[in-house]
């Protein structure tokens, strides 16, 4: 099967026989076993004994569950045997109103497609990998005479070699720093490289060989690149021997300056070898996973070993694991984890999995090389798995402790602001502008599990009637847009995004503006609280304002005070960051952008010829026609745009 025909590729579903069940039982959205079973039985009539993936939909068409099967008819048929289902699946069946079926060529293909659909739709009854942030890689570019080394996230569009994944930005940054000291490879962009006439600071501090200005020839730079590849491939001992030989040769030739430089590179190599928290020498390329389970929470620890080097570790806490076995959660986690991450040759686990062979087959198909999944029995690999297990248990202990502390804080927030129960969703609003320019509002969201960064929003201030710098009017506009949209949403979407508590950065004036607009919109069952800075704007002396005019302060050392400060500071950080980005974008805007028919290349040609946009505006038609790359028609368009009023 070619790569383009695999189910994990874009638009792959269109190449399989996907069909949506046209039959759906009419009725209310309320759970009902009879209607759910009737919908499933109707689909069963036409299901084949083939492998594939099925999706269960509720009355609104939302996906409840994605599953895969070796034989679709047998697997889906299990859902009508209600007495044999756990409570979680009974609830799902009672909500089911229709199904979508996709047949595949093998169960391995079905496993890949299932993981892809779960990550795309995030159904309510599937195990979900919460931390789906992309992993960083090191990219050694191959699209330039002097290859560049850089950190990379996202799609692999650049030509070159990718090394990773690294567990965090910190681990990849540390490795990049060492690589710069060791191999003196450039890290600058091509435009920066092409415009240098003297070495930059990195050359001065011995982190670059300055190929931009000819301080190193092609062959020597290629040798450095080869050494860097050897190091990243795990051949650090060979690199170490080569550097030691170079240092000895330089010393014998009385080139003590070069000998000292090579000595410093050797020290950098020794440092990174000695700083490995995990000794993985001889293991090669391996991903190591261990699972810990306690009090209904499951934590999975992952170690990334490449070329015998530890490239970091990370903890994961999958959601929707209630009433599910450890085997089911672990298998689903691994399938989703490798949806975006290339697997190592060896995947080492702390336990046997029922579908380990199927998962290995699926990952081998995707990687186009053999992937082995095993539970080590002896040697260094057993030691690494035990270390991962210990880390998984410790991470789970910390998670449970943090959850307990967070629960206590939210209960204190509820008592403080007279809420009926601890808030599940807290929204915090702040404005940012400089004398009214590039004004925007920002919203951050927090809940029982911390900040929900995927829910953050920014609001560009668009109302022409809002006076520059009028914070009250800005906040009114933000509230009108936010809650206006919420009130228009359908009931389920509104319930999912409806806040229990709204914190406004401001005092009585801000609160008055906010309450005016939310009352006009008919917003109820939301607690609005204003937070104003204390005397001399000192943190810890904030005043909290109720809509009815009541005010109070908290002791400076109160734990709930620290928590509310973190919420407010996060809102400040997000608002200021968004404002800076907007301001930076505005700086690059040119008056020529407003001229119709002028694209980037013609704009560049005009600016290169005339120097400034003002000179273009004041140029005569004859001068415009003389600009290289500008036709007579374009010159006429530009001239008419600026001289339409004579």
């Amino acid at each position: 099967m070619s790569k383009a025909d695999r189910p994990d590729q874009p638009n792959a579903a269109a190449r399989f026989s996907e069909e949506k069940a046209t039959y759906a039982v009419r009725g209310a959205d309320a759970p009902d076993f009879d209607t759910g079973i009737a919908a499933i039985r109707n689909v069963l009539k036409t299901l084949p004994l083939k492998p594939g993936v099925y999706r269960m939909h509720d009355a609104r068409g939302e996906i409840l569950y994605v599953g895969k099967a070796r034989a679709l008819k047998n697997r889906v048929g299990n859902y009508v045997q209600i007495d044999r289902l756990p409570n979680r699946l009974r609830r799902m069946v009672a909500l089911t109103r229709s199904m979508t079926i996709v047949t595949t060529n093998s169960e391995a293909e079905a496993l890949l497609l299932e993981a892809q659909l779960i990550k795309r739709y995030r159904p309510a009854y599937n195990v979900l990998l919460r931390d789906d942030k992309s992993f960083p890689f090191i990219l050694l570019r191959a699209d330039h005479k002097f290859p560049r080394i850089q950190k990379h996230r996202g799609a692999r569009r650049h030509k070159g070699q990718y090394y990773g994944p690294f567990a965090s930005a910190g681990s990849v940054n540390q490795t990049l720093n060492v690589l710069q000291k060791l191999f003196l490879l450039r890290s600058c962009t091509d435009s920066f490289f092409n415009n240098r006439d003297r070495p930059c600071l990195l050359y001065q501090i011995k982190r670059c060989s300055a190929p931009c200005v000819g301080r190193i020839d092609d062959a020597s730079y290629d040798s450095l690149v080869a050494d860097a590849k050897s190091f990243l491939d795990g051949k650090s001992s060979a690199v170490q021997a080569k550097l030691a030989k170079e240092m000895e040769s330089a010393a014998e030739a009385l080139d003590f300056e070069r000998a000292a430089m090579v000595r410093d590179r050797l020290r950098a190599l020794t440092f990174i070898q000695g700083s490995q928290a995990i000794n993985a020498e001889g293991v090669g390329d391996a991903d190591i996973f261990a699972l810990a389970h306690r009090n209904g929470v499951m934590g999975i620890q992952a170690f990334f070993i490449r070329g015998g080097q530890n490239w970091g570790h990370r903890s994961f806490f999958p959601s929707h694991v209630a009433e599910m076995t450890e085997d089911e959660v672990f298998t689903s986690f691994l399938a989703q984890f490798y949806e975006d991450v290339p697997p190592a040759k060896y995947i080492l686990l702390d336990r046997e999995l029922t579908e380990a062979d199927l998962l290995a087959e699926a990952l081998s198909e995707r990687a186009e090389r053999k992937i082995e999944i095993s539970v080590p029995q002896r040697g260094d690999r057993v030691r690494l798995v035990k270390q991962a297990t210990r880390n998984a248990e410790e991470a789970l202990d910390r998670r449970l402790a943090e959850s307990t502390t967070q629960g206590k804080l939210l209960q204190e927030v509820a008592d403080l602001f007279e809420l009926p129960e601890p808030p599940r969703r807290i929204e915090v609003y702040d404005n940012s502008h400089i004398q009214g320019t590039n004004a925007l509002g920002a919203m951050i969201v927090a809940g029982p599990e911390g900040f929900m960064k995927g829910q953050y929003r920014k609001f560009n201030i668009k109302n022409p009637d809002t006076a520059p710098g009028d914070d009250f009017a800005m906040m009114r506009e933000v509230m009108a847009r936010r809650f206006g949209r919420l009130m228009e949403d359908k009931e389920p979407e509104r319930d999912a995004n409806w806040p229990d508590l709204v914190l406004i950065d401001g005092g009585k004036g801000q609160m008055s503006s906010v309450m005016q607009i939310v009352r006009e919109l008919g917003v109820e069952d939301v607690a609005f609280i204003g937070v104003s800075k204390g005397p001399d704007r000192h943190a810890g002396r904030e005043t909290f304002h109720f809509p009815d005019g009541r005010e109070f302060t908290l002791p400076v050392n109160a734990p709930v005070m620290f928590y509310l400060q973190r919420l407010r500071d996060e809102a400040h950080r997000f608002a200021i960051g968004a404002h800076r980005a907007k301001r930076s974008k505005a700086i690059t805007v040119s008056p020529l952008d407003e001229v119709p028919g002028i694209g980037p290349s013609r704009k560049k040609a005009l600016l290169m010829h005339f120097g400034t946009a003002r000179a273009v505006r004041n140029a005569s038609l004859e001068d415009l026609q003389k600009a290289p790359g500008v036709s007579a028609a374009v010159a006429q368009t530009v001239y008419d745009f600026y001289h339409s009023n004579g």
Side-chain angles (χ1 to χ4, degrees):
M1 181 175 60
S2 69
K3 184 174 181 179
D5 290 329
R6 292 189 199 155
D8 58 302
Q9 298 301 310
N11 303 318
R15 290 188 289 277
F16 295 90
S17 52
E18 176 175 334
E19 57 184 46
K20 178 75 174 286
T22 57
Y23 174 83
V25 178
R26 301 288 180 183
D29 293 352
D32 185 272
F33 281 124
D34 293 336
T35 54
I37 292 174
I40 296 172
R41 286 189 187 280
N42 187 73
V43 176
L44 266 174
K45 298 175 184 177
T46 58
L47 282 183
L49 287 169
K50 291 183 178 180
V53 174
Y54 56 93
R55 281 173 269 173
M56 293 183 160
H57 303 264
D58 63 13
R60 301 180 303 277
E62 298 293 328
I63 297 177
L64 296 168
Y65 183 76
V66 176
K68 58 93 182 158
R70 181 184 305 165
L72 282 166
K73 193 175 189 69
N74 295 341
R75 182 70 185 90
V76 175
N78 292 335
Y79 291 106
V80 299
Q81 302 176 28
I82 292 295
D83 294 339
R84 299 183 180 181
L85 296 179
N87 291 333
R88 178 180 66 89
L89 295 183
R90 289 185 184 185
R91 293 192 296 270
M92 182 185 73
V93 169
L95 291 169
T96 300
R97 297 296 179 267
S98 63
M99 295 181 67
T100 300
I101 305 299
V102 183
T103 58
T104 59
N105 295 321
S106 67
E107 190 178 6
E109 287 184 4
L111 180 64
L112 293 176
L113 183 57
E114 177 195 37
Q116 181 189 28
L117 294 175
I118 290 173
K119 291 205 74 173
R120 181 190 303 171
Y121 295 114
R122 304 186 68 79
Y125 286 86
N126 282 101
V127 174
L128 298 181
L129 173 56
R130 275 198 200 129
D131 189 355
D132 56 358
K133 182 180 179 182
S134 63
F135 287 85
F137 285 74
I138 285 178
L139 168 60
L140 188 57
R141 302 267 302 252
D143 53 0
H144 194 278
K145 181 180 179 181
F146 296 101
R148 170 192 178 192
I149 195 164
Q150 66 182 82
K151 181 170 66 176
H152 177 83
R153 283 188 191 268
R156 303 184 179 190
R157 297 190 179 94
H158 300 294
K159 182 180 178 182
Q161 291 177 277
Y162 294 82
Y163 298 92
F166 287 81
S168 64
S171 57
V172 76
N173 288 338
Q174 181 186 26
T175 303
L176 274 175
N177 286 336
V178 172
L179 288 172
Q180 286 181 303
K181 293 178 182 177
L182 267 173
F183 306 113
L184 310 178
L185 301 183
R186 76 178 186 94
S187 57
C188 57
T189 63
D190 289 349
S191 59
F192 186 86
F193 181 94
N194 295 331
N195 289 289
R196 297 300 299 178
D197 54 14
R198 58 189 178 88
C200 67
L201 180 62
L202 288 178
Y203 175 78
Q204 307 297 334
I205 62 175
K206 299 179 181 178
R207 292 199 177 189
C208 181
S209 53
C212 54
V213 292
R215 296 297 174 94
I216 186 172
D217 57 45
D218 296 9
S220 299
Y221 193 86
D222 289 342
S223 178
L224 292 177
V225 171
D227 288 345
K229 289 180 179 178
S230 295
F231 175 81
L232 289 168
D233 287 334
K235 302 173 184 176
S236 57
S237 57
V239 175
Q240 191 171 21
K242 181 180 178 181
L243 289 175
K245 187 175 180 180
E246 282 186 27
M247 184 177 68
E248 290 176 5
S249 299
E252 289 175 1
L254 303 181
D255 188 353
F256 299 116
E257 184 177 355
R258 174 164 176 76
M261 184 182 71
V262 177
R263 178 203 61 201
D264 293 341
R265 293 171 61 192
L266 265 173
R267 285 178 178 172
L269 178 58
T270 305
F271 170 78
I272 194 170
Q273 289 173 331
S275 65
Q276 298 281 346
I278 298 172
N279 181 14
E281 188 175 356
V283 176
D285 292 350
D287 292 335
I288 303 166
F289 297 93
L291 183 146
H293 182 196
R294 197 177 309 115
N295 297 339
V297 180
M298 295 191 195
I300 297 175
Q301 187 76 18
F303 287 166
F304 305 111
I305 309 297
R306 295 296 184 271
Q309 300 177 40
N310 172 29
W311 283 3
H313 58 91
R314 184 185 290 189
S315 301
F316 300 87
F317 299 93
S319 58
H320 302 177
V321 299
E323 301 180 32
M324 298 193 70
T325 65
E326 294 179 358
D327 188 281
E328 289 176 302
V329 172
F330 213 166
T331 302
S332 183
F333 165 83
L334 289 172
Q336 292 180 55
F337 179 83
Y338 286 116
E339 174 66 21
D340 300 316
V341 176
K345 182 178 181 181
Y346 300 104
I347 298 175
L348 309 180
L349 308 180
D350 67 336
R351 68 196 66 205
E352 297 285 351
L353 295 182
T354 305
E355 295 189 327
D357 293 340
L358 175 64
L359 184 60
E361 178 188 349
L363 294 179
S364 298
E365 281 191 16
R366 172 178 290 166
E368 297 181 339
R369 55 186 170 83
K370 186 176 181 180
I371 305 297
E372 295 183 19
I373 299 178
S374 63
V375 179
Q377 302 299 323
R378 63 181 66 87
D380 290 337
R381 296 184 178 185
V382 171
R383 174 180 52 79
L384 289 171
V385 170
K386 288 182 178 178
Q387 192 162 359
T389 301
R390 185 169 63 253
N391 276 264
E393 292 171 350
E394 291 172 355
L396 183 61
D397 288 339
R398 289 192 298 270
R399 179 78 169 195
L400 293 172
E402 290 170 1
S403 298
T404 302
T405 302
Q406 186 81 349
K408 291 180 179 177
L409 285 172
L410 291 176
Q411 183 59 59
E412 288 189 48
V413 169
D415 296 339
L416 191 66
F417 298 130
E418 302 173 358
L419 305 179
E421 59 184 6
R424 302 289 302 174
R425 181 184 176 97
I426 302 174
E427 295 182 356
V428 189
Y429 292 85
D430 190 16
N431 293 331
S432 184
H433 61 89
I434 294 179
Q435 295 182 346
T437 62
N438 300 309
L440 57 79
M443 175 190 83
I444 66 118
V445 184
E449 295 176 0
F451 292 116
M452 303 159 64
K453 296 192 175 182
Q455 299 286 319
Y456 287 14
R457 295 291 180 269
K458 55 185 177 183
F459 303 83
N460 289 314
I461 303 302
K462 301 176 180 178
N463 191 338
D465 296 331
T466 299
D470 187 345
D471 285 333
F472 297 165
M474 288 170 60
M475 191 58 73
R476 281 197 300 270
E477 180 177 344
V478 170
M479 290 291 112
R481 286 162 58 186
R482 166 62 179 158
F483 285 94
R485 291 171 188 168
L486 271 182
M487 298 298 285
E488 293 173 359
D489 282 345
K490 296 179 181 178
E491 199 68 32
E493 289 82 357
R494 186 189 307 173
D495 291 345
N497 296 309
W498 195 259
D500 302 302
L501 173 64
V502 171
L503 298 179
I504 305 296
D505 183 54
K508 293 181 178 179
Q510 292 281 25
M511 279 300 297
S512 177
S513 299
V514 167
M515 296 313 299
Q516 176 186 349
I517 194 68
V518 297
R519 285 171 182 145
E520 291 176 3
L521 292 170
V523 175
E524 299 177 351
D525 300 328
V526 179
F528 288 86
I529 301 293
V531 185
S532 62
K533 299 176 179 64
D536 301 321
R537 305 177 73 84
H538 284 170
R541 298 182 181 179
E542 288 83 356
T543 301
F544 298 91
H545 305 266
F546 280 91
D548 59 10
R550 287 179 294 155
E551 300 177 358
F552 69 92
T553 57
L554 288 171
V556 175
N557 59 350
V560 70
M561 183 73 237
F562 294 140
Y563 175 67
L564 294 171
Q565 285 175 357
R566 286 207 315 273
L567 295 181
R568 184 205 57 199
D569 292 345
E570 174 67 1
H572 284 340
R573 182 201 65 78
F574 182 63
I576 291 171
H579 177 258
R580 284 175 178 165
K582 184 177 181 181
R583 195 169 70 242
S584 298
K585 185 177 180 180
I587 290 173
T588 63
V589 173
S590 168
L592 293 178
D593 294 336
E594 302 175 3
V595 182
I598 300 298
S601 60
R602 285 171 175 165
K603 182 176 70 173
K604 182 178 180 180
L606 287 167
L607 289 174
M608 291 294 289
H609 183 74
F610 290 99
T612 65
R614 176 178 293 181
V616 175
R617 182 181 60 197
N618 295 331
S620 65
L621 179 59
E622 291 76 11
D623 289 338
L624 290 169
Q625 291 172 343
K626 293 177 182 178
V630 177
S631 65
V634 171
Q636 188 67 54
T637 299
V638 175
Y639 184 81
D640 291 343
F641 180 81
Y642 287 119
H643 299 82
S644 58
N645 295 327

